[in-house]
Amino acid sequence: MGQDRDRFSTATRLRLLGEQTAARVYRSQSRRQARRSRLTGRAAFLALVVCTMVVALAYPMRQYVSQRGEIAEQERLAEEAAARVERLRDEKARLQDDAYVKRLARQHLHYVMPGETAFTMNDPGAARRHRTDQGGTGRPWYSSVWDGVDRADQQNR
């Protein structure tokens, strides 16, 4: 009968209740840890898959972007060429007109019509301006040519 009394005593009940609660807490913690370890493995696998996809798609995406840039550049060049073709067609149509051709000849080639008098005027200020595009040495041109031939012959020796 002493055993029954221990079995139903408050202290025994509290002790049993504490042990049962501790067992439940331990089991729930071990389940959480098991879930965490599974979740961590899944997360690692997911991260590996994402990294693999990024690496696998990086080069094709770079190629795609660069090719889109090249396509845009070629389209721009094609538009410029089409505009130039249109300008040349307009010029060709204008050149079919005799009046336009005569005007160009008078303007650029200094042609005059029969019966007209052409005048050439000298600019008095032109003599004072020095031309910088002439690189003359004051020697005849043929001496410069012979000097160049001599220098070329000396370099081959």
Side-chain angles (χ1 to χ4, degrees):
M1 208 156 163
Q3 256 184 353
D4 286 336
R5 213 167 101 183
D6 282 342
R7 186 172 167 198
F8 295 111
S9 72
T10 308
T12 307
R13 285 185 195 158
L14 286 176
R15 186 174 43 85
L16 284 172
L17 237 143
E19 288 173 358
Q20 289 172 352
T21 305
R24 278 191 215 128
V25 167
Y26 177 74
R27 280 193 304 246
S28 69
Q29 283 179 348
S30 65
R31 282 186 205 142
R32 276 191 212 133
Q33 287 175 353
R35 278 190 218 134
R36 272 194 206 130
S37 66
R38 272 188 287 149
L39 196 60
T40 304
R42 286 180 185 168
F45 181 72
L46 181 63
L48 179 67
V49 168
V50 168
C51 289
T52 304
M53 294 299 288
V54 166
V55 168
L57 293 176
Y59 183 74
M61 286 303 293
R62 195 183 93 203
Q63 290 295 329
Y64 174 77
V65 169
S66 69
Q67 287 175 358
R68 293 303 305 169
E70 289 176 16
I71 288 170
E73 176 68 18
Q74 292 300 321
E75 287 174 349
R76 184 187 63 79
L77 291 174
E79 289 173 4
E80 288 178 4
R84 184 165 185 256
V85 165
E86 191 61 33
R87 285 192 310 269
L88 290 173
R89 283 186 182 148
D90 291 345
E91 180 70 18
K92 181 181 175 184
R94 282 193 303 258
L95 287 173
Q96 300 298 320
D97 184 20
D98 289 336
Y100 180 72
V101 173
K102 285 179 185 177
R103 185 175 65 88
L104 285 179
R106 293 172 71 110
Q107 183 180 6
H108 295 291
L109 302 175
H110 306 289
Y111 279 17
V112 292
M113 296 300 288
E116 294 179 343
T117 305
F119 293 99
T120 304
M121 298 177 59
N122 292 331
D123 185 10
R128 281 183 248 130
R129 288 182 292 208
H130 297 291
R131 289 187 57 177
T132 58
D133 61 346
Q134 291 179 346
T137 59
R139 299 179 3 185
W141 64 270
Y142 49 84
S143 64
S144 298
V145 171
W146 282 118
D147 288 346
V149 170
D150 288 340
R151 271 187 258 124
D153 188 40
Q154 289 174 357
Q155 289 175 357
N156 288 335
R157 290 183 186 179

